[in-house]
Amino acid sequence: MRTRMLLLLLAVILAACTAQQRKAVPEQARQAAAGVLLLGSSTGVTSVDAATGRVVSETTGVPPLGDWSEVFTTTSSGGRTILEVRDSATGAVASKTSLPGELSVRVASADGSLVALMAPLPDGQSPWTPVPRARTTIVVADPDGSRDTHYRLKGNFEPEAFSTFGDSLFLIKFVPATDPVAYKVARLDLAKGKVFPVGTGQKGVVETMSGTRLEQATSPDGDMLYTLYTTQPAAYAGVHAKNGTPVAFVHTLSLDEGWAHCVVLPKALWGADPAHEAMAASPDLDLLYVVDTERDLIAVMNTEKLEVVLTEPFDIGPVRGGETSAVVTPDGTLFVAAGSRVVAIDTGSLQPAQTWNMEASVSALGAGPDGVYVATPGGITVIDPATGRRTASIPSPAGDGMAYVGMVAAG
C-alpha cells in the first residue's frame, strides 16, 4: 500500500513527445536551473543542487504538515531521544532538544512549533496498520525545548494532525484496541489531557469506519486535511470482515473547526487498485478531483458542500506500470500521470486537452520558479508549462516512493 502526501506546492509536469524533444538536453539548458531541489518521500527529504545534480543533504525524518522546508529527525541513546530540526535544503541543524525515552516523530504541526512522538515502529511497519495495544503514550514537544508533555491514554491511538491553533491533536482511534478491525476519529485536548469524540459538523459524531489509506492532501489555506481511502475493509481488518463491501471515500478533517466528515465516492470507484487512484485539490476553488486511470474516471468533490457533484469518463490511453499521480496547476488545469504518460485535462469539460510521453514512469510531480518538474528514476526534467518544452535536465536519486519535488532559492 502506498501513502503519499500531496501538498500545496505540488504542481504538474508536461512531458514532450516529439522526436526533437527526446534528444539529449544541451549543457546550457541543464545549467539553466538554479537553486536546490527538494525530493520528499515517506522517509525524509533529499536536497539536490539543481545546476549540477550533486546531492547536498539526505535527512531522514518527518516534515511539517504542508511544508517540506524542514525535517524533524530523532536519534535515541541511553534512554533519551535527541530531537533535531534540520533545514531540508542544507541539512543544517536549526534546533536541538533532549527528551526522555526512546521516541520517533509521528506528525509535526504546519508551523513547526509542535511535534507528536511515540515509541518507534518496527522496521517496515506503517502507523496505519495498527499493532494491538490497550494503552498509548504520546509525547507532544516543542522543538525548542520549552515543552515536553507525556499523555498516557487508554486505547489504541495514532496521531493524525495538529489543529490549526495548536490546542488539539487529532487522533485515529483503532477499535477494538487489542484486536483492531476499524477506526474512529478523536481529539486530544492538549491542555486538559483528555480525549474527546469528533463531530461531523452537523449532528452526531463521526461513525466507525474501516478502510485502506491511500494518500492525503491539504486545502490551499491548510485548514482542511483530505484523506483518500479505498478497498474496505482494510487489510488489517480483512480476517474479521469476510462480508465487508469494497468502498472508496474521502475523509475530510477540519483542522480549525474540529469536525470530520466522510464523502462516499461513486460506486464505479469502489474496490480499486490503490496504484491507479489519486487525488488533487484545486488551488483557488472549492474542488477536489479523484482520478482512476484503470477505469478512466474522474470524480469531482465540492469541498464546501461535502458531496461529489460530477463523475465523468476520460481516456488517458494505454499505460504501463507505475502509480497514478494528479495535481491542479495555478491556472486550474488538472494533470494526471500514469506510468510514463501525462495528460492535461480541461476542468470545464473534464476531457484531455494534451498528452505527453516520458521515457520512464513518473515518480513525482513538482513546480518551481523556472518551470515545472517531472521526476523519473535517475533524474528530474524541468519543463516550460506553457510550451511543454524541456528546459533543463538534472541528475538526481529520484525514484519510487517520492511524494514531493520542489525548488528553494539558492543561498
Side-chain angles (χ1 to χ4, degrees), residues 195-374:
V195 175
F196 297 91
V198 171
T200 63
Q202 300 170 356
K203 290 183 179 181
V205 298
V206 178
E207 63 187 40
T208 302
M209 298 161 286
S210 178
T212 299
R213 170 183 294 235
L214 182 53
E215 63 184 53
Q216 290 185 313
T218 55
S219 62
D221 60 9
D223 287 339
M224 302 294 293
L225 180 62
Y226 307 109
T227 306
L228 178 61
Y229 282 90
T230 187
T231 313
Q232 187 180 16
Y236 63 84
V239 296
H240 300 278
K242 295 181 180 179
N243 297 321
T245 301
V247 72
F249 57 92
V250 176
H251 184 261
T252 304
L253 176 62
S254 172
L255 301 178
D256 60 340
E257 297 179 357
W259 52 262
H261 187 84
C262 282
V263 179
V264 178
L265 295 171
K267 287 186 177 181
L269 295 172
W270 291 10
D273 183 340
H276 301 305
E277 288 196 340
M279 67 177 174
S282 175
D284 55 4
L285 297 173
D286 299 319
L287 298 175
L288 186 76
Y289 299 91
V290 178
V291 299
D292 187 317
T293 55
E294 183 177 46
R295 299 166 179 177
D296 288 339
L297 289 172
I298 301 175
V300 184
M301 171 183 154
N302 185 304
T303 58
E304 285 290 324
K305 296 180 179 178
L306 295 177
E307 63 182 34
V308 175
V309 294
L310 187 64
T311 304
E312 288 288 336
F314 79 106
D315 185 10
I316 193 173
V319 297
R320 294 180 181 178
E323 292 185 346
T324 296
S325 302
V327 69
V328 182
T329 54
D331 68 356
T333 304
L334 171 66
F335 288 83
V336 179
S340 60
R341 185 178 292 261
V342 179
V343 296
I345 296 174
D346 182 287
T347 49
S349 64
L350 294 184
Q351 293 303 307
Q354 289 181 290
T355 302
W356 298 266
N357 291 312
M358 300 300 292
E359 289 81 358
S361 292
V362 177
S363 52
L365 307 173
D370 57 344
V372 292
Y373 310 104
V374 56

Side-chain angles (χ1 to χ4, degrees), residues 4 25 31 54 56-57 59 92 105 222 260 285-286 304 309 354 398-399:
R4 295 183 297 156
V25 179
Q31 296 293 343
R54 177 180 63 89
V56 178
S57 72
T59 305
V105 176
L285 297 173
D286 299 319
E304 285 290 324
V309 294
Q354 289 181 290

Side-chain angles (χ1 to χ4, degrees), residues 110-184:
D111 63 2
S113 65
L114 292 172
V115 294
L117 307 96
M118 292 179 61
L121 291 166
D123 290 342
Q125 177 75 41
S126 166
W128 311 117
T129 302
V131 295
R133 57 172 175 252
R135 295 184 178 274
T136 303
T137 297
I138 298 174
V139 178
V140 174
D142 189 319
D144 66 7
S146 62
R147 175 176 181 168
D148 169 10
T149 307
H150 291 238
Y151 298 92
R152 294 172 175 83
L153 311 175
K154 184 179 180 180
N156 191 341
F157 297 96
E158 276 290 337
E160 174 88 359
F162 284 97
S163 65
T164 301
F165 307 107
D167 57 351
S168 297
L169 176 63
F170 293 103
L171 307 168
I172 297 297
K173 179 180 181 180
F174 293 105
V175 294
T178 58
D179 190 18
V181 299
Y183 74 93
K184 297 180 179 180

